[in-house]
Amino acid sequence: EQICRVHTPEYVDHIKQLSADKGGNAGESAPFGPGSYEIALLATGGVIAAGNAILDKDIRNAYALVRPCGHHAEADQGRGFCIFSNVAIAAKEFLLRDSINKIAVVDWDVHHGNGTQHAFEEDPSIIFFSTHQYPHYPGTGAENERGLGKGEGTTINVPMYSGQGDEVYQEVFQKVL
């Protein structure tokens, strides 16, 4: 149920079936071996558990070091070694809490988190902020990609050039984010 808030049931079933056999390919550049469905569930569950522990005030902060990371996974296909969009699934889960009505997802990586952006681009309750080398894989994340419909303006892409250092990142995080 949690995963299907972001991914189609057909896609989830497809991954489960391939994983139960010899593995396969979730989509574009997303090969996986047998048992990867269960591992992907654990990764997603780890992100949700970390966030819930913070929201429940059991801990003050967390870092969920999980693989596959998930930010390239689309609703109906994996991409870039990502099977499920862990952060998107967790964010949708947290919005079900009475105390949460707005979430900011900050993605800094050499690659643009296309799957995460697509999961949120029409949702005004989630701000997606991304720094990434552009036009590196997957070729998305242009500055003019700003969300759609009610989510217009809640997507903030900051394309960066290779080799930009700490000073540039610090300026982007302080002035743009």
Side-chain angles (χ1 to χ4, degrees), residues 3 7 11 154:
I3 292 172
H7 298 284
Y11 171 68
T154 61

Side-chain angles (χ1 to χ4, degrees), residues 11 19 24 30 37 39 50-51 78 126 161:
Y11 171 68
S19 176
Y37 172 76
I39 293 167
I126 299 176
Y161 300 105

Side-chain angles (χ1 to χ4, degrees), residues 6-172:
V6 173
H7 298 284
T8 66
E10 296 80 14
Y11 171 68
V12 175
D13 289 342
H14 180 67
I15 297 303
K16 186 175 183 178
Q17 290 171 4
L18 289 175
S19 176
D21 190 23
K22 298 176 186 168
N25 199 324
E28 176 187 295
S29 299
F32 63 93
S36 292
Y37 172 76
E38 290 79 11
I39 293 167
L41 291 180
L42 289 171
T44 301
V47 175
I48 292 170
N52 280 334
I54 294 167
L55 294 170
D56 293 338
K57 299 186 183 343
D58 295 333
I59 58 176
R60 291 185 54 191
N61 56 51
Y63 183 87
L65 183 59
V66 299
R67 290 296 294 163
C69 58
H71 72 167
H72 294 305
E74 300 281 1
D76 61 353
Q77 72 168 341
R79 289 182 76 184
F81 302 101
C82 299
I83 297 173
F84 297 135
S85 190
N86 301 322
V87 169
I89 295 164
K92 297 269 186 177
E93 178 73 12
F94 303 147
L95 283 173
L96 296 175
R97 288 175 165 251
D98 291 336
S99 60
I100 305 292
N101 59 18
K102 195 88 162 160
I103 292 177
V105 173
V106 179
D107 184 341
W108 73 97
D109 186 271
V110 70
H111 303 119
H112 176 248
N114 57 292
T116 307
Q117 176 178 310
H118 292 150
F120 301 146
E121 64 191 350
E122 295 186 51
D123 188 341
S125 62
I126 299 176
I127 294 171
F128 176 68
F129 176 88
S130 177
T131 59
H132 48 275
Q133 189 174 328
Y134 182 81
H136 208 42
Y137 182 86
T140 56
E143 193 171 355
N144 65 353
E145 295 175 31
R146 306 211 11 91
L148 302 171
K150 291 182 180 180
E152 177 78 32
T154 61
T155 296
I156 304 165
N157 284 305
V158 183
M160 314 260 309
Y161 300 105
S162 177
Q164 290 185 298
D166 293 344
E167 299 82 22
V168 174
Y169 272 90
Q170 186 173 16
E171 185 175 339
V172 165

